[in-house]
Amino acid sequence: EKVYLIRRGAVRLSRVYESGEEITVALLRENSLFGVLSLLTGHRSDRFYHSVAFTRVEMITAPATSVRQAIENDTSVGLLLLQGLSSRILQTETMIETLTHRDMSSRLVSFLLVLCRDFGVPGEQGITIDLRLS
């Protein structure tokens, strides 16, 4: 029922399935959106997600109804939302490409490259991915 915008930090978005297995569905960074499903469908979603901060996080939250009203009043708000959703789709496509049709070592290398691109901090000894991942 709310839309979340990450202004600073990194967040892991996951789902827990009936089997009890928790699956990471997205690793989000600054200027990423989540919680937009109720905004798009117009009603509360039956899909529940968990979000866990990897780092110190600053977020802006807004009720989905307020965001919908803002889009109706100003088309540039809708364009910004569309850009955020497009970014999430591209991230998802990249992860699907990374995790399919490859052996384990290739998947790991591809995943590390994605993490370097999205969360890496350049330093004297290379790029540091400052996230606590298992």
Side-chain angles (χ1 to χ4, degrees):
E1 296 175 358
K2 289 188 178 183
V3 176
Y4 301 87
L5 172 66
I6 301 169
R7 296 297 302 150
R8 174 186 273 172
V11 171
R12 177 175 65 100
L13 199 60
S14 64
R15 288 197 61 208
V16 176
Y17 293 88
E18 290 178 9
S19 64
E21 183 178 19
E22 184 175 10
I23 306 243
T24 298
V25 295
L27 299 174
L28 306 174
R29 59 185 169 148
E30 292 176 0
N31 298 318
S32 294
L33 291 167
F34 65 99
V36 296
L37 197 55
S38 60
L39 172 67
L40 299 173
T41 62
H43 55 81
R44 187 175 181 167
S45 173
D46 60 350
R47 297 174 65 100
F48 295 100
Y49 295 90
H50 296 274
S51 58
V52 176
F54 279 124
T55 62
R56 187 171 182 82
V57 172
E58 290 178 20
M59 282 198 292
I60 298 172
T61 65
T65 54
S66 297
V67 176
R68 182 182 290 269
Q69 185 66 45
I71 291 168
E72 290 172 1
N73 293 338
D74 185 352
T75 56
S76 66
V77 174
L79 182 58
L80 285 171
L81 182 66
L82 186 58
Q83 289 171 339
L85 291 173
S86 296
S87 176
R88 283 283 303 280
I89 290 169
L90 287 173
Q91 180 193 35
T92 301
E93 288 177 352
T94 300
M95 289 306 295
I96 290 169
E97 291 169 358
T98 297
L99 298 175
T100 57
H101 306 297
R102 298 183 185 179
D103 60 84
M104 180 60 84
S105 60
S106 296
R107 288 195 306 251
L108 178 59
V109 168
S110 295
F111 184 60
L112 288 172
L113 289 172
V114 167
L115 291 176
C116 284
R117 183 195 68 210
D118 292 348
F119 300 98
V121 178
E124 292 179 14
Q125 297 181 330
I127 298 174
T128 301
I129 303 167
D130 192 21
L131 301 175
R132 300 188 86 190
L133 299 171
S134 60

